[in-house]
Amino acid sequence: MANPETSLKEAASIDGAIGAALVDYTSGMALGTIGGNDELDLNVAAAGNTDVVRAKVRAMEMLGLSDEIEDILITLGGQYHLIRLLKGRGTNGLFLYLALDKNRSNLAMARHRLKKIEEELEI
């Protein structure tokens, strides 16, 4: 089992990673961040992506979908933004956020690694 700091370090080691955050989407606060740059403020991204998660949860409720969200992918011109909702013990209301450089990353592998990180994370 890994703690949040170890999990964020592992997320940051994914090929093409720009930055990662562990976010509480009930408050919009980042519980931890790693990486980022002048163009990507991870605390601002955490708050903004909280709105994305809330909107998707509301849409699913309005549609009457009883399925669970695994992840949400936002594709930009030069980046992927991956949001993985956590389902483990003690992680309700949390998500992992990973920003990737499109030219240096493998999206399928990043999704796979983020799933493994989720499985090992213990809050």
Side-chain angles (χ1 to χ4, degrees):
M1 290 291 150
N3 64 31
E5 183 179 344
T6 302
S7 296
L8 286 172
K9 285 179 182 175
E10 188 168 335
S13 75
I14 294 172
D15 287 343
I18 299 168
L22 176 62
V23 184
D24 177 347
Y25 68 84
T26 58
S27 68
M29 298 292 296
L31 304 178
T33 63
I34 190 167
N37 56 36
D38 292 341
E39 297 172 2
L40 181 64
D41 181 324
L42 290 168
N43 288 304
V44 173
N49 285 307
T50 292
D51 292 337
V52 171
V53 171
R54 289 176 184 164
K56 188 59 189 170
V57 169
R58 271 194 316 275
M60 288 181 63
E61 288 171 355
M62 290 173 18
L63 292 167
L65 299 175
S66 60
D67 212 347
E68 293 182 340
I69 300 169
E70 280 186 31
D71 56 38
I72 299 169
L73 171 64
I74 300 166
T75 304
L76 304 177
Q79 297 177 355
Y80 294 122
H81 291 222
L82 192 54
I83 300 166
R84 179 149 189 105
L85 278 68
L86 304 182
K87 297 171 187 66
R89 185 183 61 212
T91 62
N92 193 27
L94 301 179
F95 67 85
L96 280 168
Y97 166 70
L98 177 64
L100 298 162
D101 180 315
K102 248 174 128 172
N103 296 319
R104 298 184 307 116
S105 62
N106 176 320
L107 182 57
M109 186 57 70
R111 289 183 71 219
H112 175 74
R113 296 256 328 261
L114 214 52
K115 181 179 180 183
K116 291 296 269 180
I117 292 167
E118 173 195 4
E119 291 170 355
E120 295 170 2
L121 175 62
E122 187 170 294
I123 302 293

